[in-house]
Amino acid sequence: KFSNRKSDSLASLRREANLSARLSHDYIVSINSYHEMHDKGIIVMEYVDGQDLSRVLDKHKDLGIRFPEKFAGLIAWLCCEAFEYAHGEAGAIHRDISLKNIMVNYSNGSPKLLDYGTGIVSSENSSVLGNMGGTLGFIAPEILNGERIDKRVDIYSLGMVLDSLVRGKNILLESVPKKSNPLKAIELIKLALKGKYQPLKNMSGVDEEFSDIVEKAVKLDPYDRYQSASEIKDCLTHYLYQQNEYGPTRPVLKLYLNVIDNMKKLKDNAPYMVKDGKLYLTSIDGESIAIG
């Protein structure tokens, strides 16, 4: 990761490297080294053999299928482990959790949080006022309003990641034209936040318990949300593993994503098996079966 030649960019990258260097967790991308050459900063990060959730979602949309909420819940559960560590030991708030800042490692099915260094530490919270950071559509309302923030902004953003994964889109960005300038986009997002949130359970086939977890995570008032990563993790644990059935695991998530990749390759390379954007196979009884 490189800075440009502006002094504020160099200072920002140096600060990011310093904050990231404090963090050491299996689900957080680590910083290997930091260098400065010819007034440019360079962060050398851990290499992750995987894809971010934005690309994973695009593949599902291309296949015309919904990302399973069980796997979304597993990813969130594992991210909460990283939050418990970062919010606790390191006192670090990410404040830019989004689809693009969560990768899934294809070698073991583990999530990896990117760009943790762009966040803040709790003791520096006053510096956030008037210094917005985050990705529109996932950024917490209190950041948009220039208010003091705490770890609950990461809970909100994680909730919006879950909502977007299962819904197949970010509902807040629907009202923002692609070429809107940043200030206009922020105002449109604020207006969208004032509208009534449509729970995922209104969609056919979505588990109500999962929907309730997401709905609480994205409450506009931080006091109405889960108050910690541990609290939402406990609810995810009940949803994933305490319903008298086997819950999802990282190896199964890895296998699932591999299947999706191969389905995408098959669809791209076998147009004669595709009809109306879906991949079709024929059953033993001669019936045509759409699989994505």
Side-chain angles (χ1 to χ4, degrees):
K1 190 172 187 177
F2 295 85
S3 68
N4 59 33
R5 293 186 178 275
K6 295 180 180 179
S7 59
D8 58 341
S9 175
L10 179 60
S12 176
L13 196 69
R14 186 185 297 135
R15 180 177 175 278
E16 179 176 343
N18 288 334
L19 178 54
S20 293
R22 304 184 191 185
L23 305 174
S24 178
H25 192 277
D26 288 343
Y27 303 148
I28 298 175
V29 171
S30 61
I31 300 297
N32 291 333
S33 59
Y34 174 75
H35 311 273
E36 290 184 9
M37 298 176 61
H38 309 297
D39 298 325
K40 294 192 73 173
I42 304 169
I43 291 180
V44 182
M45 293 176 284
E46 168 191 5
Y47 174 74
V48 179
D49 181 18
Q51 293 185 346
D52 65 53
L53 292 183
S54 178
R55 294 182 65 186
V56 170
L57 181 57
D58 284 343
K59 289 180 180 179
H60 281 72
K61 290 165 68 175
D62 186 60
L63 290 168
I65 57 179
R66 179 186 295 170
F67 191 87
E69 55 257 41
K70 284 287 187 179
F71 286 131
L74 172 64
I75 291 170
W77 193 95
L78 295 168
C79 286
C80 283
E81 290 213 328
F83 287 156
E84 285 177 325
Y85 161 76
H87 292 167
E89 282 190 42
I93 303 166
H94 192 295
R95 70 176 174 144
D96 192 17
I97 295 296
S98 68
L99 291 172
K100 291 187 176 181
N101 275 340
I102 301 176
M103 292 187 71
V104 177
N105 191 330
Y106 277 8
S107 66
N108 57 19
S110 296
K112 284 283 190 177
L113 299 179
L114 282 70
D115 290 345
Y116 225 111
T118 60
I120 61 167
V121 292
S122 301
S123 60
E124 297 173 348
N125 199 20
S126 59
S127 68
V128 176
L129 294 172
N131 181 22
M132 186 180 298
T135 301
L136 286 180
F138 300 92
I139 188 172
E142 53 267 41
I143 298 180
L144 285 173
N145 295 326
E147 301 168 359
R148 289 184 178 274
I149 67 171
D150 57 31
K151 60 189 177 184
R152 292 173 293 187
V153 300
D154 289 343
I155 304 299
Y156 176 90
S157 296
L158 183 64
M160 283 307 302
V161 165
L162 294 179
D163 185 280
S164 300
L165 266 180
V166 174
R167 197 182 297 270
K169 60 184 178 181
N170 186 296
I171 55 174
L172 296 177
L173 293 178
E174 287 190 314
S175 59
V176 181
K178 290 184 178 180
K179 295 184 178 180
S180 298
N181 65 64
L183 291 178
K184 180 65 174 177
I186 289 171
E187 291 306 313
L188 291 172
I189 291 290
K190 286 182 178 180
L191 286 174
L193 286 169
K194 293 179 180 179
K196 187 176 181 181
Y197 175 74
Q198 297 295 319
L200 286 170
K201 59 189 170 190
N202 291 350
M203 296 173 57
S204 175
V206 175
D207 187 281
E208 186 171 342
E209 184 176 0
F210 176 81
S211 175
D212 289 342
I213 291 171
V214 175
E215 188 173 357
K216 183 171 181 178
V218 299
K219 292 290 187 182
L220 298 186
D221 188 335
Y223 289 98
D224 292 334
R225 293 176 209 148
Y226 296 102
Q227 299 300 291
S228 67
S230 297
E231 187 180 352
I232 184 174
K233 181 183 169 186
D234 286 346
C235 291
L236 286 167
T237 300
H238 183 274
Y239 164 67
L240 293 170
Y241 303 112
Q242 297 184 22
Q243 296 182 349
N244 297 319
E245 60 183 32
Y246 289 107
T249 61
R250 291 179 300 161
V252 177
L253 173 60
K254 170 189 171 183
L255 175 63
Y256 171 77
L257 293 176
N258 185 55
V259 169
I260 293 297
D261 278 346
N262 287 326
M263 285 176 61
K264 177 72 167 57
K265 291 175 184 176
L266 182 60
K267 181 181 175 184
D268 291 343
N269 292 286
Y272 42 84
M273 299 177 69
V274 178
K275 180 181 178 182
D276 297 327
K278 292 187 177 181
L279 187 67
Y280 280 83
L281 298 179
T282 303
S283 72
I284 295 176
D285 297 327
E287 297 180 357
S288 187
I289 303 173
I291 62 171

